[in-house]
């Protein structure tokens, strides 16, 4: 949806596109090619700014503009094709910071290819 597109506005989103689209979709890009980004016009990246939850005053684990690595602390098999993943936040003082009903993208390299999937936390 729009959130997925707007989150990468003004930045290279090649890796994100390839991770969720088919080879056919990637080939279609040639038809819609507009041009290359003039990187000399980009502002210097000031780095990741720490976010604080307004409700709790605690640090927020997620930032929609940056990928964040999390440690898998537990995997529970629910059926032959479903499982529950339990990831640790950066510290016990952090909150996830994801609004109700929104999803996160999990990404990783599988057989040499970057793969990305949406998941809704429970």
């Amino acid at each position: 949806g729009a959130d997925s597109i707007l989150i990468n506005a003004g930045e290279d989103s090649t890796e994100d596109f390839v991770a969720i689209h088919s080879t056919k979709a990637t080939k279609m890009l040639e038809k819609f090619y507009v041009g290359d980004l003039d990187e000399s016009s980009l502002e210097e990246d000031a780095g990741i700014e720490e976010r604080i939850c307004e409700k709790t005053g605690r640090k927020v684990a997620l930032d929609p503009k940056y990928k964040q690595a999390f440690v898998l602390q537990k995997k529970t098999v629910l059926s032959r094709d479903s499982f529950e993943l339990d990831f640790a936040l950066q510290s016990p003082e952090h909150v996830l910071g994801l609004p109700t009903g929104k999803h996160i993208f999990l990404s990783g390299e599988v057989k040499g290819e970057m793969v990305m999937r949406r998941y809704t936390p429970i």
Side-chain angles (χ1 to χ4, degrees):
D3 288 344
S4 301
I5 294 169
L6 294 174
I7 203 164
N8 288 314
E11 297 184 24
D12 183 358
S13 57
T14 304
E15 183 179 275
D16 295 342
F17 181 89
V18 170
I20 62 173
H21 289 86
S22 66
T23 304
K24 180 180 177 183
T26 303
K27 288 180 183 176
M28 289 174 61
L29 287 176
E30 294 173 16
K31 180 179 175 182
F32 300 102
Y33 177 76
V34 175
D36 293 328
L37 179 65
D38 176 10
E39 294 187 23
S40 67
S41 67
L42 297 176
E43 293 180 15
E44 186 84 16
D45 186 5
I48 299 174
E49 185 177 314
E50 193 169 83
R51 299 176 47 216
I52 303 295
C53 177
E54 291 180 17
K55 291 181 183 177
T56 65
R58 294 168 63 189
K59 297 175 185 177
V60 176
L62 294 177
D63 186 320
K65 284 290 199 182
Y66 299 96
K67 289 183 178 176
Q68 173 67 46
F70 292 96
V71 174
L72 178 63
Q73 52 187 20
K74 184 179 176 187
K75 177 180 176 178
T76 306
V77 177
L78 303 174
S79 69
R80 70 171 185 79
D81 62 355
S82 349
F83 46 91
E84 180 180 69
L85 304 176
D86 181 10
F87 291 94
L89 301 182
Q90 294 92 324
S91 77
E93 290 77 39
H94 279 79
V95 293
L96 186 60
L98 187 70
T100 302
K102 293 290 186 177
H103 63 266
I104 59 173
F105 281 106
L106 296 183
S107 61
E109 197 168 302
V110 177
K111 297 180 182 175
E113 298 279 330
M114 179 55 71
V115 177
M116 184 182 302
R117 299 288 185 268
R118 292 180 188 95
Y119 290 94
T120 303
I122 55 169

